[in-house]
Amino acid sequence: MDAVLFWILAGLSVVGGLVVITGRNPLASALALGLVLIAIAGLFAMLSAHLLFILQLLVYAGAIIVLIVFVIMLLDLDDRRLGEMKIRWGRFGVSAAICLVACVAVLRGVRGLTGLREPVHASFGTVTDVSRLLFGPYLVQFEILGLILLVGILGAVVLAKRGG
Amino acid sequence: MGEVTLGHYIGLSVVLFFIGALGVLSRKNALIVLMSIELMLNAANLAFAAFARRWGQVDGHVVVIFVIAIAAVEAAIGLAILVGIFRNRQTVDLDDMTALNE
Amino acid sequence: MPTFLAHAGTVVLVWILSLSLVPVMVWFERKGSAYMQDRTGPNRAAVLGIRMGGLIHTIADVLKLIFKEDVTPPQVNRFYYTLAPFLSMMIALLTFIVIPIADDLEVGGHLLHWQGLKIDAGLIWIFAVTTIGTLAMILAGWGSNNRYALLGGMRSSAQMISYELALGLSVIGVLLVYGTLDLNEMVRQQGELVGGFLPKWGVVVQPLAALLFMTAAVAETNRTPFDLPEGESEIIGYHVEYSSLKFALFFMAEYVNVVVSAALTVTLFFGGWQIPWLPTPVLEANATSVLLVTCAGVLLLSLALAMASVRWSHRLKQLYTDARRREGDFWTVVLLLQAALAVLVAIVVLANPLEGLSSQIFARVAQFGAFLGKVTFFAFLFIWIRWTLPRFRYDQLMNLGWKSLLPLALLNIAVTAVVLRWLGR
């Protein structure tokens, strides 16, 4: 059961990932990315990371994809522009070869990793469990993160407002 | 099919990471490059979550939360910059963005 | 396995519930608005002369929508155009599955949860799923390849994103009070009493949050006074290019969303499945008497209605010569049967009082009934709001969302936090 689910989700995410990078129309890429993100959310759920599962859906599949789609529609690139930016197979092939070699090299190292089936305590990865760390040892980092988000919002507003 | 082990998750994470890297290396459309970066970040997140489960420690989840937040900021700023560039130069082609090169 | 069956059963149940409430909502909308505007409303559609006060008209509506020609305009982007309505419906249905419909039940060592998706962050799930719902509207607008549809889609997504903030922040006060994200746990805590007599419902401990939440929820469902995204009466919305079944899907998704909003309002602020002053143990202990009181109530109500129906039947026979003249008799018979059923149940229960498992099951059914009643009331309230208030202008809408609801929600969080600290929790 677990294995079947894993392979389905893994297949979905790999195929979706390939569509993301090969798509001509960015909207197709964005929707494929949404699919990948949802598949990864499913993998988080299988890894009993409950909070991450929900956050992945909320922030990635929800907010970020919607933002990307919004911008794609705002730019409204016509066919000519998209044609100029479509995939160049020569460049793609060389990069793909490099990536494939690196990927295989890393995968050989990964092969030895086993032992996922360790027993996990029932509350593993729940909101309470993660928050205890987030508001304990990682409190300072968490607050800094809040600051970064604030700066990010201000930056985005300033960038979007100027020019107009 | 066999049992799903840590290696499977990390392997998937590696594959996704390199797919993302390939997109960043080979595409000219800045929007797609941004999406490929998101893909790479997600691959890393998956690895963090898998290792967290392996060692029974939620610290990995905390890191993933940080990454998700940073990715959100990155997307917002990146897209704002893209919109700004598009307003000035009517293009999102990375090869045309060479103002500092000339 | 029984645990899984309980989850799956609940999912099926809430889906059937939310889909079967749609015709009732449409009926509320048509007949209710007619009543509010002092007109008759739909009163023609009938099956064998039975009109059920216009409820049959919804069947005619559904048939009309299904059998209309499905026109796909030539300029649309087929894939996105078709995907959008299905996505919209799917999202609407997915939201419902985290809402608990009755208290947990322990049978033979298995703890059964009456909640489709038992997840400790249930509240965030709802926000996660509704955020994706925005995508459906943008896709519908963009896929239609029509300026008005695109603008409608943009308007709607901007509105939904703006009000999602107020919606999300308004529930944080509730979160602080109950100290959990688990919706079932929240409902369980709402069974307690404040000051000895008031149930500890969200609306009692967080009145401002309840008001903000309901305002934002109406905006999230894109209904008047916030119906700028669709503006079905004059300005054009994102589903302008849709017809037949695809339009029906958007239409149904809207009503399912209203039901979900009502269910969420009930769960967060009005005690969910809790029956006020009757927490689960008390309800189980007094199952027999509660059932008998219910039977007596049903009996009295049916008899009273049957008497009214006899009178009405008299008038119908003078008015009509066709099948409709028999409708009064039909209702008299149905109501008398209902009264007889109530008597029968009462006799059976008096002979074998409810105890043990049967009383526990009765308690769950009663709680589900309470939940259903509350949800129906709030769904009606949303329709009531729609037909009472005029539409906002777009700038007023944005001002309300960003400059009133958002600061008030933040204020609510701050005050709640300070008060909770002061109370020493």
Side-chain angles (χ1 to χ4, degrees):
Chain A
M1 182 64 191
D2 263 17
V4 176
L5 208 58
F6 173 83
W7 285 112
I8 291 173
L9 290 174
L12 270 181
S13 53
V14 169
V15 171
L18 288 174
V19 175
V20 171
I21 63 162
T22 52
R24 178 164 181 271
N25 189 341
L27 192 62
S29 293
L31 290 183
L33 183 62
L35 187 71
V36 177
L37 298 176
I38 290 173
I40 290 181
L43 290 170
F44 282 158
M46 286 178 65
L47 287 166
S48 56
H50 307 173
L51 182 61
L52 293 188
F53 162 65
I54 295 229
L55 282 183
Q56 174 91 2
L57 286 180
L58 181 70
V59 181
Y60 262 119
I64 293 184
I65 291 294
V66 170
L67 187 66
I68 291 176
V69 171
F70 233 103
V71 169
I72 289 172
M73 289 173 185
L74 215 72
L75 300 184
D76 195 25
L77 300 166
D78 53 29
D79 241 24
R80 188 182 55 81
R81 284 223 186 79
L82 288 178
E84 281 168 4
M85 289 183 297
K86 73 172 186 233
I87 203 159
R88 297 271 181 280
W89 289 106
R91 185 159 147 180
F92 186 81
V94 175
S95 317
I98 298 171
C99 284
L100 200 66
V101 171
C103 184
V104 170
V106 181
L107 277 179
R108 285 173 70 87
V110 162
R111 224 170 20 180
L113 294 171
T114 49
L116 190 67
R117 298 230 155 259
E118 306 273 301
V120 226
H121 56 101
S123 72
F124 179 81
T126 56
V127 183
T128 335
D129 199 21
V130 179
S131 325
R132 201 155 280 144
L133 279 181
L134 209 52
F135 294 100
Y138 293 97
L139 183 64
V140 178
Q141 289 90 325
F142 184 75
E143 294 296 337
I144 294 174
L145 189 70
L147 207 62
I148 293 176
L149 279 170
L150 184 66
V151 173
I153 295 170
L154 290 179
V157 169
V158 169
L159 278 170
K161 275 239 164 171
R162 218 163 35 188
Chain B
M1 294 230 177
E3 206 176 347
V4 182
T5 61
L6 180 63
H8 286 87
Y9 282 99
I10 305 301
L12 176 63
S13 154
V14 169
V15 171
L16 283 176
F17 184 85
F18 279 105
I19 290 177
L22 178 56
V24 173
L25 286 176
S26 66
R27 291 307 300 256
K28 292 167 71 182
N29 189 334
L31 281 165
I32 293 182
V33 171
L34 262 180
M35 286 185 235
S36 305
I37 294 174
E38 298 294 341
L39 202 59
M40 291 165 76
L41 286 171
N42 260 279
N45 283 353
L46 185 59
F48 270 120
F51 277 120
R53 165 76 185 269
R54 166 68 180 84
W55 299 110
Q57 293 197 322
V58 253
D59 297 58
H61 294 187
V62 175
V63 177
V64 174
I65 290 175
F66 288 166
V67 172
I68 289 180
I70 298 294
V73 177
E74 176 246 74
I77 298 282
L79 291 170
I81 292 176
L82 263 189
V83 171
I85 291 176
F86 187 80
R87 270 194 195 138
N88 287 327
R89 317 186 53 140
Q90 278 74 45
T91 180
V92 288
D93 191 334
L94 286 176
D95 289 356
D96 292 347
M97 297 176 191
T98 51
L100 288 179
N101 229 349
E102 286 154 5
Chain C
M1 198 61 190
T3 339
F4 175 74
L5 280 180
H7 285 300
T10 315
V11 170
V12 174
L13 192 67
V14 292
W15 281 356
I16 291 175
L17 168 72
S18 45
L19 287 177
S20 58
L21 270 177
V22 169
V24 180
M25 302 282 300
V26 177
W27 177 63
F28 278 165
E29 187 104 60
R30 285 175 172 276
K31 247 354 206 193
S33 69
Y35 178 71
M36 286 169 208
Q37 297 172 343
D38 199 15
R39 50 192 176 84
T40 316
N43 65 349
R44 287 295 186 276
V47 174
L48 299 173
I50 314 294
R51 294 170 295 176
M52 297 182 75
L55 198 54
I56 296 293
H57 193 89
T58 16
I59 298 178
D61 266 350
V62 171
L63 286 179
K64 179 194 78 175
L65 280 171
I66 290 175
F67 288 111
K68 255 184 173 174
E69 185 188 357
D70 190 358
V71 183
T72 306
Q75 85 277 12
V76 302
N77 187 324
R78 244 161 211 284
F79 178 69
Y80 303 122
Y81 174 83
T82 321
L83 179 68
F86 289 96
L87 195 64
S88 154
M89 189 71 207
M90 199 179 80
I91 301 291
L93 286 178
L94 271 182
T95 327
F96 215 130
I97 64 175
V98 286
I99 292 172
I101 56 172
D103 202 358
D104 298 346
L105 176 64
E106 200 174 344
V107 183
H110 297 285
L111 193 60
L112 306 180
H113 304 286
W114 304 108
Q115 191 179 8
L117 179 68
K118 171 113 185 102
I119 189 161
D120 62 319
L123 196 53
I124 317 183
W125 166 265
I126 292 179
F127 293 112
V129 176
T130 45
T131 327
I132 304 176
T134 321
L135 202 59
M137 289 176 188
I138 308 183
L139 279 183
W142 196 81
S144 298
N145 205 0
N146 168 328
R147 265 156 232 217
Y148 296 104
L150 182 62
L151 286 175
M154 287 291 189
R155 265 204 315 269
S156 81
S157 42
Q159 173 182 327
M160 287 200 44
I161 291 168
S162 306
Y163 278 82
E164 210 142 89
L165 284 173
L167 195 73
L169 287 175
S170 65
V171 296
I172 293 192
V174 188
L175 256 178
L176 288 172
V177 171
Y178 297 121
T180 177
L181 280 166
D182 188 335
L183 291 172
N184 202 21
E185 179 56 35
M186 248 180 218
V187 175
R188 200 167 297 130
Q189 289 190 28
Q190 297 189 41
E192 295 163 15
L193 295 178
V194 196
F197 64 99
L198 267 178
K200 195 183 167 189
W201 283 5
V203 71
V204 177
V205 287
Q206 286 281 312
L208 181 60
L211 188 68
L212 295 174
F213 182 86
M214 282 166 70
T215 314
V218 177
E220 280 288 296
T221 50
N222 293 331
R223 295 172 60 77
T224 324
F226 305 98
D227 74 332
L228 289 140
E230 290 157 21
E232 47 185 42
S233 40
E234 66 278 2
I235 47 175
I236 305 173
Y238 56 87
H239 47 43
V240 62
E241 295 284 17
Y242 286 88
S243 55
S244 182
L245 201 62
K246 294 203 191 79
F247 175 76
L249 276 174
F250 275 124
F251 189 68
M252 277 164 68
E254 179 182 319
Y255 285 108
V256 173
N257 273 326
V258 173
V259 176
V260 171
S261 300
L264 204 55
T265 311
V266 165
T267 307
L268 290 174
F269 296 105
F270 292 89
W273 42 256
Q274 294 277 2
I275 303 173
W277 299 289
L278 277 179
T280 314
V282 180
L283 190 60
E284 280 170 8
N286 302 308
T288 316
S289 28
V290 173
L291 186 52
L292 283 177
V293 171
T294 317
C295 283
V298 171
L299 179 66
L300 286 178
L301 197 67
S302 322
L303 288 179
L305 284 174
M307 271 159 72
S309 155
V310 168
R311 274 197 180 159
W312 184 53
S313 172
H314 212 68
R315 240 185 64 213
L316 278 182
K317 278 182 182 143
Q318 292 169 346
L319 274 173
Y320 300 121
T321 49
D322 54 1
R324 275 178 292 178
R325 66 203 303 259
R326 288 197 301 270
E327 196 181 1
D329 298 336
F330 169 77
W331 285 114
T332 315
V333 171
V334 168
L335 288 167
L336 285 178
L337 279 179
Q338 193 176 316
L341 190 71
V343 173
L344 193 69
V345 170
I347 290 170
V348 170
V349 169
L350 276 177
N352 339 279
L354 295 174
E355 54 194 2
L357 187 62
S358 63
S359 74
Q360 285 178 343
I361 291 176
F362 168 75
R364 302 308 179 279
V365 174
Q367 284 169 344
F368 178 59
F371 174 74
L372 192 60
K374 290 180 196 174
V375 169
T376 318
F377 172 75
F378 279 95
F380 175 69
L381 187 75
F382 284 138
I383 283 168
W384 191 356
I385 290 171
R386 168 174 179 167
W387 291 100
T388 307
L389 297 175
R391 178 189 297 149
F392 284 111
R393 218 169 50 218
Y394 197 68
D395 58 324
Q396 292 170 332
L397 173 97
M398 284 296 160
N399 279 342
L400 178 71
W402 288 96
K403 294 186 186 161
S404 307
L405 294 188
L406 198 63
L408 278 175
L410 288 170
L411 180 75
N412 185 47
I413 296 173
V415 171
T416 311
V418 169
V419 170
L420 284 180
R421 186 76 199 171
W422 182 60
L423 288 174
R425 286 234 304 273

